[in-house]
Structure formats: C-alpha cells, structure tokens
Short mmCIF file of all heavy atoms in Angstrom, two decimals:
data_model
loop_
_atom_site.label_atom_id
_atom_site.label_comp_id
_atom_site.label_asym_id
_atom_site.label_seq_id
_atom_site.Cartn_x
_atom_site.Cartn_y
_atom_site.Cartn_z
N ASN H 282 11.02 3.02 7.05
CA ASN H 282 9.84 2.28 6.62
C ASN H 282 8.86 3.18 5.89
O ASN H 282 8.20 2.78 4.94
CB ASN H 282 9.18 1.59 7.83
CG ASN H 282 9.93 0.34 8.26
OD1 ASN H 282 10.82 -0.14 7.53
ND2 ASN H 282 9.61 -0.16 9.39
N PHE H 283 8.71 4.43 6.39
CA PHE H 283 7.84 5.36 5.71
C PHE H 283 8.34 5.61 4.28
O PHE H 283 7.51 5.64 3.36
CB PHE H 283 7.74 6.66 6.51
CG PHE H 283 7.02 7.77 5.79
CD1 PHE H 283 5.61 7.79 5.77
CD2 PHE H 283 7.74 8.75 5.16
CE1 PHE H 283 4.94 8.82 5.10
CE2 PHE H 283 7.05 9.76 4.45
CZ PHE H 283 5.65 9.80 4.44
N LEU H 284 9.62 5.83 4.14
CA LEU H 284 10.19 6.07 2.81
C LEU H 284 9.98 4.91 1.87
O LEU H 284 9.59 5.04 0.70
CB LEU H 284 11.62 6.44 2.91
CG LEU H 284 12.02 7.73 3.62
CD1 LEU H 284 13.49 7.78 3.88
CD2 LEU H 284 11.58 8.91 2.80
N LEU H 285 10.16 3.69 2.43
CA LEU H 285 10.08 2.46 1.64
C LEU H 285 8.62 2.24 1.24
O LEU H 285 8.33 1.78 0.09
CB LEU H 285 10.64 1.27 2.38
CG LEU H 285 12.13 1.31 2.65
CD1 LEU H 285 12.54 0.15 3.52
CD2 LEU H 285 12.90 1.25 1.31
N ILE H 286 7.71 2.45 2.14
CA ILE H 286 6.24 2.26 1.84
C ILE H 286 5.82 3.28 0.77
O ILE H 286 5.03 2.92 -0.14
CB ILE H 286 5.40 2.36 3.09
CG1 ILE H 286 5.68 1.16 4.03
CG2 ILE H 286 3.90 2.44 2.76
CD1 ILE H 286 5.07 1.28 5.42
N ALA H 287 6.30 4.50 0.87
CA ALA H 287 5.97 5.51 -0.15
C ALA H 287 6.48 5.09 -1.46
O ALA H 287 5.83 5.26 -2.55
CB ALA H 287 6.55 6.87 0.23
N ALA H 288 7.67 4.49 -1.53
CA ALA H 288 8.30 4.03 -2.80
C ALA H 288 7.46 2.86 -3.39
O ALA H 288 7.24 2.82 -4.59
CB ALA H 288 9.73 3.54 -2.54
N ILE H 289 6.94 1.96 -2.50
CA ILE H 289 6.10 0.88 -2.93
C ILE H 289 4.86 1.41 -3.67
O ILE H 289 4.52 0.95 -4.80
CB ILE H 289 5.71 -0.05 -1.81
CG1 ILE H 289 6.88 -0.77 -1.19
CG2 ILE H 289 4.63 -1.03 -2.21
CD1 ILE H 289 6.58 -1.52 0.08
N VAL H 290 4.21 2.37 -3.06
CA VAL H 290 2.99 2.94 -3.66
C VAL H 290 3.29 3.55 -5.00
O VAL H 290 2.56 3.34 -5.96
CB VAL H 290 2.34 3.99 -2.65
CG1 VAL H 290 1.21 4.69 -3.35
CG2 VAL H 290 1.93 3.27 -1.40
N LEU H 291 4.37 4.35 -5.09
CA LEU H 291 4.68 5.02 -6.32
C LEU H 291 5.10 4.00 -7.43
O LEU H 291 4.74 4.18 -8.58
CB LEU H 291 5.78 6.01 -6.11
CG LEU H 291 5.39 7.30 -5.33
CD1 LEU H 291 6.61 8.19 -5.12
CD2 LEU H 291 4.34 8.04 -6.10
N TYR H 292 5.81 2.98 -7.06
CA TYR H 292 6.14 1.94 -8.03
C TYR H 292 4.93 1.28 -8.62
O TYR H 292 4.82 1.06 -9.84
CB TYR H 292 7.06 0.88 -7.40
CG TYR H 292 8.52 1.26 -7.27
CD1 TYR H 292 9.26 0.88 -6.14
CD2 TYR H 292 9.19 1.92 -8.28
CE1 TYR H 292 10.60 1.19 -6.03
CE2 TYR H 292 10.52 2.26 -8.15
CZ TYR H 292 11.19 1.90 -7.03
OH TYR H 292 12.50 2.24 -6.92
N LEU H 293 3.94 0.98 -7.71
CA LEU H 293 2.74 0.35 -8.24
C LEU H 293 1.92 1.28 -9.08
O LEU H 293 1.33 0.87 -10.10
CB LEU H 293 1.88 -0.15 -7.04
CG LEU H 293 2.52 -1.24 -6.20
CD1 LEU H 293 1.65 -1.56 -5.00
CD2 LEU H 293 2.66 -2.51 -7.10
N VAL H 294 1.87 2.56 -8.73
CA VAL H 294 1.17 3.56 -9.59
C VAL H 294 1.86 3.68 -10.91
O VAL H 294 1.15 3.76 -11.95
CB VAL H 294 1.12 4.94 -8.89
CG1 VAL H 294 0.58 6.00 -9.79
CG2 VAL H 294 0.24 4.85 -7.58
N CYS H 295 3.14 3.70 -10.96
CA CYS H 295 3.86 3.80 -12.21
C CYS H 295 3.60 2.57 -13.10
O CYS H 295 3.48 2.72 -14.30
CB CYS H 295 5.42 3.82 -11.91
SG CYS H 295 6.00 5.42 -11.28
N ALA H 296 3.47 1.41 -12.49
CA ALA H 296 3.18 0.22 -13.26
C ALA H 296 1.79 0.27 -13.84
O ALA H 296 1.51 -0.33 -14.92
CB ALA H 296 3.34 -1.06 -12.38
N ALA H 297 0.84 0.95 -13.20
CA ALA H 297 -0.54 0.94 -13.61
C ALA H 297 -0.88 2.08 -14.59
O ALA H 297 -1.89 1.95 -15.33
CB ALA H 297 -1.47 1.05 -12.42
N LEU H 298 -0.09 3.13 -14.67
CA LEU H 298 -0.37 4.25 -15.52
C LEU H 298 -0.35 3.89 -16.99
O LEU H 298 0.55 3.05 -17.38
CB LEU H 298 0.59 5.40 -15.26
CG LEU H 298 0.36 6.19 -13.94
CD1 LEU H 298 1.51 7.14 -13.72
CD2 LEU H 298 -0.95 6.94 -13.96
N PRO H 299 -1.16 4.43 -17.82
CA PRO H 299 -1.12 4.14 -19.26
C PRO H 299 0.13 4.74 -19.89
O PRO H 299 0.64 5.72 -19.44
CB PRO H 299 -2.40 4.81 -19.78
CG PRO H 299 -2.73 5.88 -18.79
CD PRO H 299 -2.30 5.36 -17.43
N SER H 300 0.53 4.17 -20.97
CA SER H 300 1.79 4.54 -21.61
C SER H 300 1.75 5.98 -22.10
O SER H 300 2.81 6.67 -22.25
CB SER H 300 2.11 3.60 -22.84
OG SER H 300 2.24 2.31 -22.36
N ARG H 301 0.58 6.47 -22.46
CA ARG H 301 0.46 7.86 -22.98
C ARG H 301 0.84 8.93 -21.93
O ARG H 301 1.13 10.04 -22.29
CB ARG H 301 -0.93 8.15 -23.50
CG ARG H 301 -1.99 8.12 -22.42
CD ARG H 301 -3.35 8.43 -22.99
NE ARG H 301 -4.43 8.46 -21.99
CZ ARG H 301 -5.08 7.39 -21.59
NH1 ARG H 301 -4.82 6.20 -22.18
NH2 ARG H 301 -6.04 7.49 -20.66
N ARG H 302 0.94 8.54 -20.68
CA ARG H 302 1.32 9.46 -19.61
C ARG H 302 2.82 9.35 -19.34
O ARG H 302 3.32 9.23 -18.25
CB ARG H 302 0.57 9.17 -18.30
CG ARG H 302 -0.93 9.15 -18.46
CD ARG H 302 -1.50 10.50 -18.87
NE ARG H 302 -1.23 11.53 -17.90
CZ ARG H 302 -2.01 11.77 -16.84
NH1 ARG H 302 -3.07 11.02 -16.63
NH2 ARG H 302 -1.69 12.71 -15.99
N ALA H 303 3.64 9.39 -20.41
CA ALA H 303 5.05 9.15 -20.33
C ALA H 303 5.78 10.14 -19.40
O ALA H 303 6.63 9.77 -18.63
CB ALA H 303 5.66 9.20 -21.70
N GLY H 304 5.42 11.40 -19.52
CA GLY H 304 6.05 12.39 -18.66
C GLY H 304 5.78 12.16 -17.21
O GLY H 304 6.72 12.25 -16.34
N LEU H 305 4.53 11.87 -16.85
CA LEU H 305 4.25 11.61 -15.48
C LEU H 305 4.89 10.35 -14.92
O LEU H 305 5.36 10.25 -13.82
CB LEU H 305 2.67 11.49 -15.28
CG LEU H 305 2.12 11.20 -13.93
CD1 LEU H 305 2.52 12.29 -12.93
CD2 LEU H 305 0.60 11.00 -13.94
N ILE H 306 4.90 9.35 -15.84
CA ILE H 306 5.52 8.05 -15.43
C ILE H 306 7.01 8.29 -15.14
O ILE H 306 7.58 7.79 -14.16
CB ILE H 306 5.39 7.00 -16.56
CG1 ILE H 306 3.94 6.58 -16.64
CG2 ILE H 306 6.28 5.78 -16.32
CD1 ILE H 306 3.61 5.71 -17.88
N SER H 307 7.67 9.06 -15.99
CA SER H 307 9.12 9.34 -15.82
C SER H 307 9.37 10.07 -14.51
O SER H 307 10.29 9.70 -13.73
CB SER H 307 9.65 10.13 -17.01
OG SER H 307 11.01 10.43 -16.85
N ALA H 308 8.53 11.05 -14.19
CA ALA H 308 8.71 11.82 -13.01
C ALA H 308 8.44 11.02 -11.78
O ALA H 308 9.20 11.07 -10.77
CB ALA H 308 7.79 13.07 -13.02
N MET H 309 7.37 10.21 -11.77
CA MET H 309 7.07 9.36 -10.65
C MET H 309 8.06 8.26 -10.40
O MET H 309 8.38 7.87 -9.26
CB MET H 309 5.63 8.79 -10.81
CG MET H 309 4.52 9.84 -10.71
SD MET H 309 2.90 9.11 -10.70
CE MET H 309 2.90 8.31 -9.09
N THR H 310 8.61 7.76 -11.53
CA THR H 310 9.68 6.72 -11.39
C THR H 310 10.88 7.34 -10.69
O THR H 310 11.51 6.71 -9.80
CB THR H 310 10.05 6.22 -12.78
OG1 THR H 310 8.97 5.59 -13.38
CG2 THR H 310 11.17 5.21 -12.67
N ALA H 311 11.30 8.53 -11.09
CA ALA H 311 12.42 9.20 -10.46
C ALA H 311 12.16 9.46 -8.99
O ALA H 311 13.05 9.24 -8.18
CB ALA H 311 12.73 10.51 -11.21
N LEU H 312 10.94 9.89 -8.66
CA LEU H 312 10.61 10.12 -7.24
C LEU H 312 10.62 8.88 -6.45
O LEU H 312 11.17 8.79 -5.32
CB LEU H 312 9.25 10.85 -7.17
CG LEU H 312 8.75 11.15 -5.72
CD1 LEU H 312 9.71 12.03 -4.98
CD2 LEU H 312 7.38 11.77 -5.81
N ALA H 313 10.00 7.80 -7.00
CA ALA H 313 9.98 6.48 -6.33
C ALA H 313 11.43 6.00 -6.09
O ALA H 313 11.73 5.45 -5.04
CB ALA H 313 9.17 5.52 -7.13
N TRP H 314 12.25 6.19 -7.08
CA TRP H 314 13.66 5.76 -7.00
C TRP H 314 14.41 6.51 -5.90
O TRP H 314 15.17 5.95 -5.15
CB TRP H 314 14.33 5.94 -8.34
CG TRP H 314 15.76 5.54 -8.42
CD1 TRP H 314 16.26 4.27 -8.56
CD2 TRP H 314 16.94 6.37 -8.29
NE1 TRP H 314 17.62 4.26 -8.56
CE2 TRP H 314 18.07 5.54 -8.38
CE3 TRP H 314 17.10 7.74 -8.12
CZ2 TRP H 314 19.34 6.01 -8.32
CZ3 TRP H 314 18.40 8.26 -8.07
CH2 TRP H 314 19.47 7.40 -8.16
N LEU H 315 14.16 7.81 -5.80
CA LEU H 315 14.80 8.58 -4.78
C LEU H 315 14.35 8.19 -3.37
O LEU H 315 15.17 8.06 -2.43
CB LEU H 315 14.54 10.10 -5.00
CG LEU H 315 15.23 10.74 -6.20
CD1 LEU H 315 14.71 12.12 -6.42
CD2 LEU H 315 16.73 10.73 -6.02
N LEU H 316 13.08 7.95 -3.21
CA LEU H 316 12.55 7.49 -1.93
C LEU H 316 13.06 6.15 -1.57
O LEU H 316 13.43 5.85 -0.43
CB LEU H 316 11.02 7.47 -1.98
CG LEU H 316 10.30 8.80 -2.04
CD1 LEU H 316 8.81 8.62 -2.31
CD2 LEU H 316 10.53 9.61 -0.79
N HIS H 317 13.14 5.25 -2.57
CA HIS H 317 13.68 3.92 -2.39
C HIS H 317 15.14 4.02 -1.93
O HIS H 317 15.58 3.35 -0.99
CB HIS H 317 13.56 3.12 -3.67
CG HIS H 317 13.98 1.70 -3.61
ND1 HIS H 317 13.91 0.85 -4.68
CD2 HIS H 317 14.47 0.97 -2.60
CE1 HIS H 317 14.33 -0.33 -4.34
NE2 HIS H 317 14.69 -0.32 -3.06
N GLY H 318 15.96 4.82 -2.63
CA GLY H 318 17.36 5.00 -2.29
C GLY H 318 17.54 5.57 -0.89
O GLY H 318 18.42 5.14 -0.16
N ALA H 319 16.70 6.53 -0.54
CA ALA H 319 16.83 7.11 0.82
C ALA H 319 16.47 6.10 1.86
O ALA H 319 17.14 6.02 2.92
CB ALA H 319 15.88 8.36 0.93
N GLY H 320 15.45 5.33 1.60
CA GLY H 320 15.04 4.25 2.51
C GLY H 320 16.18 3.21 2.66
O GLY H 320 16.44 2.75 3.80
N LEU H 321 16.80 2.88 1.58
CA LEU H 321 17.91 1.90 1.64
C LEU H 321 19.06 2.49 2.49
O LEU H 321 19.67 1.78 3.29
CB LEU H 321 18.43 1.62 0.18
CG LEU H 321 17.72 0.54 -0.60
CD1 LEU H 321 18.23 0.56 -2.02
CD2 LEU H 321 17.88 -0.80 0.02
N TRP H 322 19.37 3.72 2.24
CA TRP H 322 20.48 4.36 2.98
C TRP H 322 20.25 4.38 4.47
O TRP H 322 21.13 3.94 5.26
CB TRP H 322 20.72 5.77 2.46
CG TRP H 322 21.76 6.50 3.22
CD1 TRP H 322 21.63 7.45 4.18
CD2 TRP H 322 23.21 6.33 3.06
NE1 TRP H 322 22.85 7.85 4.66
CE2 TRP H 322 23.82 7.18 3.99
CE3 TRP H 322 23.98 5.57 2.20
CZ2 TRP H 322 25.20 7.33 4.09
CZ3 TRP H 322 25.36 5.70 2.31
CH2 TRP H 322 25.96 6.52 3.26
N PHE H 323 19.09 4.84 4.91
CA PHE H 323 18.82 4.88 6.34
C PHE H 323 18.67 3.48 6.94
O PHE H 323 18.96 3.29 8.13
CB PHE H 323 17.51 5.63 6.55
CG PHE H 323 17.61 7.12 6.41
CD1 PHE H 323 16.91 7.79 5.39
CD2 PHE H 323 18.45 7.83 7.20
CE1 PHE H 323 17.03 9.16 5.26
CE2 PHE H 323 18.64 9.22 7.06
CZ PHE H 323 17.91 9.90 6.05
#
C-alpha cells in the first residue's frame, strides 16, 4: 500500500507538471511506474 500510494502521488504530479519539464516528467514517470510495478508484485 505504501508503494501504491507513492505511485499515485507521482502519477498526479506527472500529470500536473508543465510540458517544458520533459526530463523531470520522464524521470518521475519511470519512478512512478517502478513503484506501481513493485506494489503490484507484492
């Protein structure tokens, strides 16, 4: 649940960031995806 909640927060932040922050968006998307995947696995 901790991993999934962290993924939720990062997904929402990724959705809200302006397009000019492409590098940050890409990195946060990857991190959110990893947390989401780990939460799914457990």
Side-chain angles (χ1 to χ4, degrees):
N282 283 348
F283 172 79
L284 293 170
L285 294 174
I286 291 171
I289 292 171
V290 173
L291 288 177
Y292 280 142
L293 293 176
V294 172
C295 286
L298 286 172
S300 300
R301 65 178 180 273
R302 306 296 299 274
L305 179 60
I306 291 171
S307 179
M309 291 188 67
T310 298
L312 179 58
W314 181 80
L315 289 173
L316 291 171
H317 185 180
L321 276 172
W322 176 259
F323 286 117

